[in-house]
Amino acid sequence: MIRKSLIAAVTTAALTLPAQAGDLINKVSPHSVTQTMDRLAAAVDAAGATVFARVDHAAGAAKVDMDLRPTELLIFGNPKLGTPAMLDGQTAGLDLPLRVLAYADGEGVVHVTYHAPATLAETHGLPAEAKYIQMMTGALDKLTSKAIAQD
């Protein structure tokens, strides 16, 4: 009886892992992490959104004498999109403003990764068809595409 429960729990956990991984959007950048994030910040500014913070995780690691490959996080948003989401489900504020991570993997390939905005709807009980979800999805795609574009 316990063995069947354990097998069922492990199977359920294994089946949910791909769904969680599928909620991440990943793109590859031909630029360094810093250049990619500079370009993303410029695209955010040009779009009229606000950059709230930029976190250099590798610099933080260095402060505690640890090595981390280049890894930066940009936190940005537009209250015209985020506020309606929080009005529909205030816990959405846990995941807003939007966040994009750029990092170099073990081979030096730079990745740009973010959560699909549809996960906001799932996680916080927001209407999946909400216009702000569609607009966030489009904005993230456009902004990250500009950041990784080869000029």
Side-chain angles (χ1 to χ4, degrees):
M1 187 78 118
I2 292 174
R3 182 179 171 149
K4 285 183 182 181
S5 297
L6 180 60
I7 291 171
V10 169
T11 302
T12 300
L15 291 174
T16 60
L17 286 176
Q20 290 171 349
D23 294 339
L24 293 177
I25 307 297
N26 188 63
K27 298 179 179 184
V28 174
S29 176
H31 312 290
S32 71
V33 168
T34 299
Q35 289 171 321
T36 299
M37 292 310 253
D38 288 347
R39 293 169 60 93
L40 179 59
V44 167
D45 286 338
T50 302
V51 172
F52 293 105
R54 184 168 172 172
V55 179
D56 185 338
H57 289 297
K63 287 181 181 179
V64 294
D65 296 322
M66 297 179 76
D67 290 326
L68 179 65
R69 291 185 299 271
T71 307
E72 294 186 27
L73 178 74
L74 194 71
I75 302 170
F76 62 92
N78 182 337
K80 289 181 181 179
L81 297 179
T83 302
M86 288 186 276
L87 288 170
D88 283 346
Q90 212 158 356
T91 60
L94 285 168
D95 295 312
L96 294 172
L98 299 171
R99 299 177 311 270
V100 173
L101 183 73
Y103 66 94
D105 67 17
E107 285 77 47
V109 175
V110 174
H111 298 266
V112 174
T113 305
Y114 58 91
H115 283 283
T119 61
L120 282 171
E122 296 166 18
T123 303
H124 302 287
L126 307 177
E129 70 285 349
K131 185 172 181 171
Y132 54 79
I133 296 290
Q134 296 168 10
M135 292 177 74
M136 287 177 193
T137 301
L140 280 166
D141 182 51
K142 280 184 184 178
L143 294 170
T144 56
S145 291
K146 285 183 180 182
I148 67 171
Q150 291 193 21
D151 298 324

